[in-house]
Amino acid sequence: LATLLSGQNSPEDLRGHGPGRIRRLQARCRAPLAPLHAMSLGELAALGWLAETMSQQDARRRFPDRVLAVDFEELLSSLRDGMARILGFLGLPTDARYLAGLEANPVLKRYSKAPELPFTPAARKALLDDTRRDQCGEIDKGLAWLERLARADDTVASVMATTATP
C-alpha cells in the first residue's frame, strides 16, 4: 500500500484506475463494495492492490508456463540472481558479464516514470519509509478495508491468506 500511495500523482492514479478495478473486483466478489466516491485514498490503494493481485494470481493459474512471478524487492536485493532467473524463464542465455554489470547499469539508477530523475534502491526505500510514516492513517484504512472484505468474502479471504501483507 505504501508503494501505491508514495507517488506524487498517486491520488489521480488511484482515482483514475478505480472504475476499472472496482468493476473487475465486483465481478469476483459476492460482498458489495462501497462506491468509489466514498472510499479514502488508503481504501483505493487497497482496492488497487487486491484487484491487481487477483489478476496476477489468475494469470499464473491459467498460464503457469508463460507467467513468472517476480517480487520487486527480491529483484532489487539481488539483481544478478533475479535477472538470471528471468532470462532462464524466457529461455535466453545468461551471460555472466552482463549479469555482473547489472548493478552498475545507469538505467537502474533512474526513476522509470521520469528517467531524468535519479532513483536508487536506497532512495526508493527512504521514500517508502517516509510514506509509511506520513500515510500511516491511510494505510490503516486500506488494511481495515481489506480485513472487512475478507471477513465478508471467501475469495478475498483466500487472496489475503496466500499473499504477503500489502
Side-chain angles (χ1 to χ4, degrees), residues 7-127:
Q8 182 178 0
N9 296 322
S10 290
E12 293 83 6
D13 183 61
L14 292 169
R15 291 190 201 308
H17 289 288
R21 287 174 171 160
I22 203 165
R23 275 193 304 273
R24 286 189 287 136
L25 190 54
Q26 192 63 78
R28 308 257 333 254
C29 297
R30 289 179 291 119
L33 302 174
L36 284 174
H37 71 273
M39 296 178 83
S40 71
L41 282 180
E43 291 167 336
L44 289 171
L47 166 73
W49 176 84
L50 182 59
E52 301 311 335
T53 298
M54 286 180 155
S55 293
Q56 290 169 4
Q57 289 180 350
D58 287 347
R60 285 196 309 266
R61 211 173 8 260
R62 290 182 64 201
F63 307 106
D65 297 337
R66 296 174 52 193
V67 176
L68 175 68
V70 177
D71 181 290
F72 192 62
E73 297 299 326
E74 288 176 18
L75 179 65
L76 286 179
S77 71
S78 180
L79 282 171
R80 184 186 303 206
D81 293 342
M83 283 304 293
R85 182 171 163 248
I86 292 167
L87 291 170
F89 180 80
L90 296 172
L92 299 171
T94 53
D95 180 278
R97 227 174 76 191
Y98 166 75
L99 293 173
L102 272 176
E103 291 179 12
N105 188 321
V107 170
L108 297 175
K109 296 177 181 166
R110 310 306 284 175
Y111 183 47
S112 64
K113 294 179 181 176
E116 68 277 7
L117 299 176
F119 200 64
T120 63
R124 180 177 186 276
K125 181 187 178 319
L127 174 65

